[in-house]
Amino acid sequence: MSRSTSTLSLSRDAGLVTAPTSPVPRIESPPARTHSPDVLFDNTRLPRMSTSQLIQFYKGQCRDHRGRYLDDILHWDDAHLETSHTFMQTLFPLPEGSVFASWAPRVDLAMFQIFRSRDDLRERVFEAFSRLLRFWGFRVSTRTADFTDIEPTLNFNDARRRWLRRIDLNHLRMTRMLRSMRYLGLEVEARAFYDALLEAMAAFPDIISDITIGYWTRAIEEAIEAPDAVEEDEYRLHIRASTLTTSLPALAEQAETLQHAVPRLDEEIVRFTNTYAKSAENALLDRRRKAMLLSRNVDRLSDILDLPSLLSSAISSSSSSSSASGTAVTPGGQAPAVSSTNYASALDLHAHIKRLRTLYPNSLLVSQVSAQADEAMRGMTTSLISSLKAPGIKFPAAMRTIGWLRRVAPDLDDSGGARAGYGNEGSLGALFLVCRLANLLSTLEALLPLRELADQELAKRLERSGPSRAERDQTSGSMWSGGQQTERFLKRYIEIFREQSFAIISTYRSIFPSTLSPPNDLTKNTTKLSGSEPSVDQSTGAKNDPLLPLPSALATFPLHLVGVLTETLKRYLPNVRDRSSRDSLLTQVLYCAGSLGRLGGDFSMMLASLDDLSSDSEDESDDEQDEWVEIVKKHRVQAGRLELLASGIGGHEGPKGSSKEVIAAGSLPSSAD
């Protein structure tokens, strides 16, 4: 029968012959082969499986050329399906023969008609088709006589890695299966699988090559014709005589060319062996060794590269937690646990990076990582210094911050230097005082509305000031009696100053307890004027610095604080003319001086200079001096009474006790804050 007259319809019901009604006798298959593993091309000279044997194989009554039943293959796991390459030719035969598998069955006219006419055989082919679908990550969701829907399975992302790549053996399997199913009467299922492949290509474009997609398209769109009834041996080539006359001389010429190329190939092999031997010096081999070394240590290098980011994350999280709480401490005076832990982790990471820098000083990678770590630690130093400016910082948090700064910025902790002064605080002490002074000044700046009102009263007072008291009386008709807003401003100012200054100095002395220890003998540190060499300490035999050692930062800090207070008092105190208001303010100042006096910073005697600027004329100078003396006496009397009450003396004494004893007791240094 010719191909032009044997074209069949694609419908399942268009079979040309009817399946035999009598059962096909069981045909003995060749014994199972025992050699392993499976190979890609099996060219063993076994007889080709006939149509009747293939039908018995699909019915489960016959083995294939390797002694396997169909159910055995269908129950294989995915790994076995991936590594075996001798089952697709049996499950999905084609009309063409194969030079690599002589045993593979071929679709002839009888097989073509029998499979299209028998539902049981097509169902067995569908079972094999379904097993391959699951292997590739698909499943049949809907199947009717005229419609089949195929969709991805839940494990599609794992299964697609077996075939969804540029070049893969499964692409050939899919092409064979598409063509074979159309020959065996499963046209609808084959086209549904082709549509599922196109949907997968749309989801993952530019992976499968256009050539492979073209093979799939031709496999699904080519016309299906019934094979010829005459079977030809798959090893017989249709070679015409005219082709042999031209191909044989060309083959001889190519064989001669190959014969001449073999010696050159031997020379190239020897040259390659000598050039790329392990013992030879070769730049390419050196690069390859370095690449292999890098590949073996990629995890370690990745960990080293992650160190700066980990350090920055620890520092930023510590800074953000401190900022979120408003200050670096909790209401109980303790630093947040997260901030403390992260700062400690950051310091440990930085110490590790410094060790790496010491171990590998010539490594460019370690140098860059160290530079990034140093930049992050400078940011941490800035954050710690900023936390010292936070309002309401307590002693534990301040002590912890100073400890971190000693580790982060050891240059600031120059307590071991010869010029560090009497104490051992180094530059950290001065830094702490400057930061807390900035906080004090910012707190005092919050009194700006009251200061503006006081400035208005100051301007009015200056306008009323004249050459003499008589002229002022003639101009205004009465004496200046303002100052209420100034009094409010000064009361609040002095109160904040007293609390903050006492907290600053007491915290400083607690953190740096030996900053005020005096030297053994200051006279030994002076320079001998008669000689050019510095003096020698007779006790130690060491040369002393020709200059006196720098004093502790705390030695001059109280003077600066008192200067800030006295400047404000000199400017605004003359506005307050009411006697009781002035007494109250001056008493408050004396209490502030006594509070600092407990820490060795009593400045009450320096306030006597305020009388020189508080009076508007020379006529009032004497009265003001008397006022100051009376206020000081009154303050000492009150302080003495408080001390007597605190010590338990005079508890039963009447109010008319000896004034001399009270004044004498009041002359003692005040301990009341």
Side-chain angles (χ1 to χ4, degrees):
M1 182 184 295
S2 63
R3 292 183 180 272
S4 60
T5 60
S6 61
T7 304
L8 300 179
S9 173
L10 298 180
S11 174
R12 292 179 175 176
D13 300 329
L16 296 182
V17 297
T18 305
T21 56
S22 59
V24 180
R26 182 182 181 93
I27 301 177
E28 293 297 331
S29 59
R33 301 185 57 173
T34 59
H35 69 276
S36 180
D38 200 358
V39 294
L40 181 61
F41 301 114
D42 190 357
N43 197 20
T44 54
R45 300 300 298 174
L46 294 175
R48 178 170 57 86
M49 180 180 288
S50 63
T51 300
S52 59
Q53 288 178 327
L54 181 65
I55 293 175
Q56 292 297 322
F57 174 77
Y58 266 100
K59 293 173 63 177
Q61 299 175 359
C62 179
R63 295 188 178 96
D64 65 354
H65 71 290
R66 286 185 175 271
R68 302 169 301 199
Y69 287 103
L70 176 60
D71 292 334
D72 297 337
I73 299 175
L74 297 182
H75 287 85
W76 283 354
D77 56 12
D78 293 339
H80 200 167
L81 290 176
E82 179 69 27
T83 56
S84 181
H85 306 285
T86 58
F87 67 93
M88 288 294 295
Q89 296 87 342
T90 305
L91 295 184
F92 300 99
L94 292 175
E96 300 86 358
S98 174
V99 298
F100 303 109
S102 61
W103 44 264
R106 291 171 50 190
V107 178
D108 55 10
L109 181 61
M111 186 185 301
F112 182 85
Q113 295 173 345
I114 291 174
F115 271 85
R116 284 176 168 267
S117 61
R118 293 185 58 176
D119 294 337
D120 57 337
L121 295 179
R122 289 198 304 272
E123 285 299 319
R124 295 292 284 173
V125 176
F126 179 78
E127 292 178 11
F129 168 67
S130 300
R131 179 63 187 93
L132 268 296
L133 285 183
R134 294 195 301 272
F135 172 70
W136 292 322
F138 297 95
R139 73 179 186 90
V140 177
S141 60
T142 304
R143 186 190 181 203
T144 61
D146 300 325
F147 176 76
T148 299
D149 184 27
I150 297 177
E151 62 182 9
T153 58
L154 296 178
N155 65 335
F156 177 77
N157 287 330
D158 295 329
R160 67 180 177 83
R161 295 186 176 91
R162 303 189 184 103
W163 63 272
L164 193 57
R165 59 186 73 177
R166 192 69 178 176
I167 298 175
D168 192 82
L169 181 63
N170 287 288
H171 300 169
L172 301 177
R173 292 178 172 180
M174 293 176 179
T175 305
R176 167 179 280 271
M177 190 172 68
L178 288 174
R179 294 188 61 210
S180 177
M181 290 174 61
R182 296 185 65 201
Y183 276 102
L184 300 181
L186 281 80
E187 173 76 21
V188 177
E189 289 80 357
R191 187 167 295 277
F193 180 50
Y194 174 74
D195 294 338
L197 290 176
L198 294 183
E199 292 179 0
M201 297 306 99
F204 301 91
D206 301 330
I207 297 181
I208 305 297
S209 65
D210 295 335
I211 297 176
T212 301
I213 299 176
Y215 278 113
W216 293 344
T217 304
R218 285 194 297 271
I220 206 67
E221 292 181 354
E222 67 179 355
I224 300 299
E225 298 179 352
D228 292 337
V230 179
E231 298 182 358
E232 298 179 355
D233 189 359
E234 58 269 27
Y235 297 106
R236 184 185 305 169
L237 302 176
H238 300 280
I239 303 175
R240 299 178 181 178
S242 58
T243 307
L244 282 176
T245 57
T246 57
S247 60
L248 289 179
L251 180 61
E253 182 180 356
Q254 293 176 1
E256 184 179 359
T257 303
L258 179 62
Q259 183 179 2
H260 292 301
V262 169
R264 183 182 175 184
L265 178 61
D266 292 338
E267 295 176 359
E268 291 296 327
I269 291 174
V270 173
R271 186 187 65 83
F272 180 85
T273 303
N274 296 332
T275 303
Y276 297 103
K278 292 183 178 181
S279 59
E281 295 292 336
N282 187 278
L284 184 61
L285 290 179
D286 292 339
R287 291 180 56 188
R288 187 171 181 272
R289 292 190 190 98
K290 293 179 180 179
M292 293 178 64
L293 180 62
L294 178 63
S295 177
R296 288 194 300 268
N297 296 275
V298 64
D299 294 335
R300 298 180 181 178
L301 293 176
S302 178
D303 294 340
I304 294 176
L305 291 175
D306 289 340
L307 288 177
S309 60
L310 291 176
L311 181 60
S312 300
S313 299
I315 294 174
S316 60
S317 60
S318 299
S319 302
S320 61
S321 61
S322 298
S323 301
S325 61
T327 62
V329 294
T330 58
Q334 299 294 330
V338 176
S339 176
S340 303
T341 304
N342 291 335
Y343 274 141
S345 301
L347 292 173
D348 293 339
L349 287 173
H350 186 244
H352 179 62
I353 295 173
K354 290 173 66 177
R355 285 193 297 269
L356 291 177
R357 179 62 173 164
T358 304
L359 294 174
Y360 308 100
N362 299 325
S363 174
L364 180 60
L365 175 63
V366 175
S367 300
Q368 293 176 353
V369 170
S370 178
Q372 296 178 12
D374 292 340
E375 183 67 24
M377 295 308 292
R378 284 192 288 271
M380 178 177 173
T381 304
T382 303
S383 177
L384 290 174
I385 293 175
S386 300
S387 66
L388 290 177
K389 299 180 181 180
I393 187 171
K394 302 299 182 182
F395 169 71
M399 175 68 82
R400 188 178 295 105
T401 303
I402 293 297
W404 286 330
L405 284 173
R406 283 195 174 103
R407 294 180 60 184
V408 175
D411 296 339
L412 296 177
D413 188 18
D414 54 356
S415 58
R419 301 293 303 278
Y422 301 157
N424 62 350
E425 81 279 10
S427 300
L428 288 178
L431 178 63
F432 174 80
L433 293 177
V434 170
C435 293
R436 299 314 300 161
L437 177 62
N439 174 65
L440 172 60
L441 296 179
S442 63
T443 305
L444 294 176
E445 287 295 328
L447 302 178
L448 183 60
L450 294 178
R451 183 188 289 270
E452 291 178 351
L453 296 176
D455 287 335
Q456 294 177 5
E457 293 184 347
L458 176 61
K460 292 180 181 180
R461 183 179 64 82
L462 294 178
E463 290 177 0
R464 297 172 59 87
S465 63
S468 65
R469 182 175 182 180
E471 293 181 0
R472 292 199 306 271
D473 294 341
Q474 292 176 1
T475 303
S476 60
S478 62
M479 190 175 178
W480 166 258
S481 60
Q484 291 83 2
Q485 301 300 331
T486 303
E487 180 186 2
R488 292 177 56 197
F489 166 68
L490 289 179
K491 281 185 176 181
R492 186 57 182 155
Y493 187 96
I494 296 170
E495 181 65 20
I496 293 175
F497 181 86
R498 182 184 66 83
E499 294 176 355
Q500 295 291 331
S501 60
F502 183 84
I504 292 173
I505 297 177
S506 61
T507 304
Y508 181 93
R509 289 168 62 92
S510 300
I511 297 176
F512 309 101
S514 60
T515 54
L516 295 180
S517 58
N520 295 330
D521 191 358
L522 289 177
T523 60
K524 295 181 181 180
N525 295 328
T526 57
T527 305
K528 294 183 178 180
L529 299 177
S530 58
S532 59
E533 295 293 331
S535 62
V536 178
D537 193 341
Q538 300 298 328
S539 61
T540 61
K543 293 183 179 181
N544 294 324
D545 198 318
L547 299 178
L548 289 176
L550 294 177
S552 171
L554 189 60
T556 57
F557 182 71
L559 296 177
H560 181 74
L561 285 179
V562 173
V564 173
L565 178 61
T566 54
E567 287 296 328
T568 304
L569 293 177
K570 288 180 181 180
R571 178 177 176 84
Y572 295 104
L573 188 58
N575 292 352
V576 183
R577 306 306 302 170
D578 183 67
R579 180 65 178 269
S580 60
S581 299
R582 288 174 60 86
D583 291 349
S584 176
L585 290 174
L586 292 176
T587 302
Q588 191 177 0
V589 172
L590 290 175
Y591 272 109
C592 179
S595 176
L596 291 181
R598 296 171 59 186
L599 302 174
D602 191 354
F603 60 92
S604 58
M605 293 299 100
M606 298 176 62
L607 300 179
S609 61
L610 297 177
D611 291 338
D612 298 336
L613 299 176
S614 61
S615 59
D616 293 338
S617 65
E618 296 178 358
D619 299 337
E620 301 176 1
S621 178
D622 296 338
D623 297 338
E624 298 294 342
Q625 291 180 0
D626 295 339
E627 177 188 359
W628 170 251
V629 173
E630 292 178 2
I631 293 173
V632 172
K633 289 182 178 180
K634 185 185 300 184
H635 175 71
R636 289 183 177 273
V637 169
Q638 294 177 354
R641 290 176 178 174
L642 289 176
E643 283 214 4
L644 290 175
L645 292 175
S647 61
I649 301 175
H652 303 284
E653 189 176 352
K656 295 183 180 181
S658 174
S659 60
K660 293 182 180 181
E661 294 178 359
V662 174
I663 294 175
S667 62
L668 297 173
S670 174
S671 62
D673 188 1

